[in-house]
Amino acid sequence: MGGHAATAEVTRLHSLPSQQVFRQTEPFLLAGSASAWSGGWQPAELQRQARLGCATSVGARLLTIVIAVDGSAGWIARWAASEQLTTPAAIDTIIDVVSMLGTLPSLPVLIPPPATVLSACVAGAAGVGAPSLGGNLGGEVDPVLKRIRALLAKAESSQFEAEATALTAKAQELVTRHAIDAAAVEAGLGHRDERPVAIRVPIDRPYVDAKSLLLQVVAQSGRCRAVFHERLAMSTIAGFAADVAACEMLFTSL
């Protein structure tokens, strides 16, 4: 749609009764979020992208409501009232959010969409086998990862640079040794009874390029691979669950 035509459509929307516009917009926004789920986006990622991609914080808050809405009608009107927006301002914000949703690229699907997860939970509660969400990162059951986490916590709290460096180096040594030990065990078994997993990590300002490079180095040293999505300011780490958990933990600490 050309600029003049788009301006004319916005002007026409401003002239319509607010309740009519809000009612017709609700399913449109819900369809946009559903498209994002099928395109691989996760709720936290979409909420973060709203903060980065919407023109105002009001738009970001609207998308948060879209993500959490329970399906009852009238939620846009309640949002506009809570934000104390005039009808034209509310419509402009809705257009901003719709535009942001419409320009999202597709991402690899790491976990089932929210509706699928809800269905799986209901099925599990009813005693029906629920689908797996793609693997446990192992961060809460692996004693080595617990020890690594403790070392990194000490490094972060230390007021002495030499001590913090030594603790971080010890954590990295454990990450490397744990990977070697795991590889030796798997070689003895002749197979690995685990599928690779992937997670996405936000790379926030400042120093986005330097941080993404750091994550690539950490991932490679930990038997994983990291791919930076420059436009979205996030990276994907892929590898086996324990390795991915260790890499994310070490990168976050650094």
Side-chain angles (χ1 to χ4, degrees), residues 68-82:
V69 71
D70 60 5
S72 58
W75 49 271
I76 289 186
R78 292 192 292 273
W79 158 78
S82 69

Side-chain angles (χ1 to χ4, degrees), residues 14-98:
H14 286 176
S15 68
L16 294 174
S18 61
Q19 293 302 319
Q20 177 183 348
V21 175
F22 293 164
R23 281 197 306 270
Q24 294 180 354
T25 302
E26 287 178 356
F28 199 74
L29 282 170
L30 292 175
S33 65
S35 178
W37 309 145
S38 62
W41 287 81
Q42 299 173 25
E45 294 171 344
L46 189 58
Q47 190 173 29
R48 174 177 180 264
Q49 189 61 29
R51 294 195 300 269
L52 297 175
C54 289
T56 65
S57 59
V58 178
R61 290 195 291 272
L62 172 58
L63 188 53
T64 298
I65 294 174
V66 174
I67 293 171
V69 71
D70 60 5
S72 58
W75 49 271
I76 289 186
R78 292 192 292 273
W79 158 78
S82 69
E83 296 283 357
Q84 298 182 333
L85 297 175
T86 63
T87 297
I91 291 174
D92 289 343
T93 302
I94 292 168
I95 293 172
D96 178 38
V97 173
V98 169

Side-chain angles (χ1 to χ4, degrees), residues 5-254:
T7 301
E9 288 298 323
V10 171
T11 301
R12 180 171 175 271
L13 283 174
H14 286 176
S15 68
L16 294 174
S18 61
Q19 293 302 319
Q20 177 183 348
V21 175
F22 293 164
R23 281 197 306 270
Q24 294 180 354
T25 302
E26 287 178 356
F28 199 74
L29 282 170
L30 292 175
S33 65
S35 178
W37 309 145
S38 62
W41 287 81
Q42 299 173 25
E45 294 171 344
L46 189 58
Q47 190 173 29
R48 174 177 180 264
Q49 189 61 29
R51 294 195 300 269
L52 297 175
C54 289
T56 65
S57 59
V58 178
R61 290 195 291 272
L62 172 58
L63 188 53
T64 298
I65 294 174
V66 174
I67 293 171
V69 71
D70 60 5
S72 58
W75 49 271
I76 289 186
R78 292 192 292 273
W79 158 78
S82 69
E83 296 283 357
Q84 298 182 333
L85 297 175
T86 63
T87 297
I91 291 174
D92 289 343
T93 302
I94 292 168
I95 293 172
D96 178 38
V97 173
V98 169
S99 298
M100 191 278 295
L101 287 171
T103 58
L104 291 177
S106 294
L107 294 172
V109 177
L110 301 184
I111 62 174
T116 306
V117 174
L118 178 59
S119 298
C121 292
V122 172
V128 180
S132 168
L133 299 187
N136 179 359
L137 291 185
E140 297 305 323
V141 297
D142 193 319
V144 177
L145 288 178
K146 288 184 178 180
R147 188 177 175 192
I148 293 170
R149 182 180 290 113
L151 286 169
L152 293 175
K154 288 183 180 179
E156 291 175 4
S157 62
S158 176
Q159 298 180 354
F160 303 100
E161 183 177 353
E163 181 184 33
T165 301
L167 289 168
T168 302
K170 180 63 177 178
Q172 178 59 52
E173 179 187 344
L174 281 176
V175 170
T176 304
R177 186 193 308 166
H178 181 51
I180 293 172
D181 291 346
V185 171
E186 288 144 21
L189 293 175
H191 70 283
R192 182 162 194 162
D193 189 21
E194 182 185 4
R195 293 182 180 181
V197 300
I199 62 171
R200 284 191 286 267
V201 177
I203 309 294
D204 294 320
R205 297 175 182 175
Y207 314 122
V208 170
D209 290 339
K211 289 177 181 176
S212 65
L213 179 59
L214 174 63
L215 179 55
Q216 290 180 36
V217 173
V218 170
Q220 189 165 1
S221 69
R223 300 197 311 169
C224 298
R225 291 294 182 269
V227 178
F228 181 44
H229 311 285
E230 183 175 3
R231 174 186 167 188
L232 305 174
M234 66 173 68
S235 290
T236 298
I237 311 176
F240 289 103
D243 299 332
V244 169
C247 288
E248 181 191 22
M249 186 167 31
L250 183 58
F251 169 71
T252 302
S253 176
L254 292 172

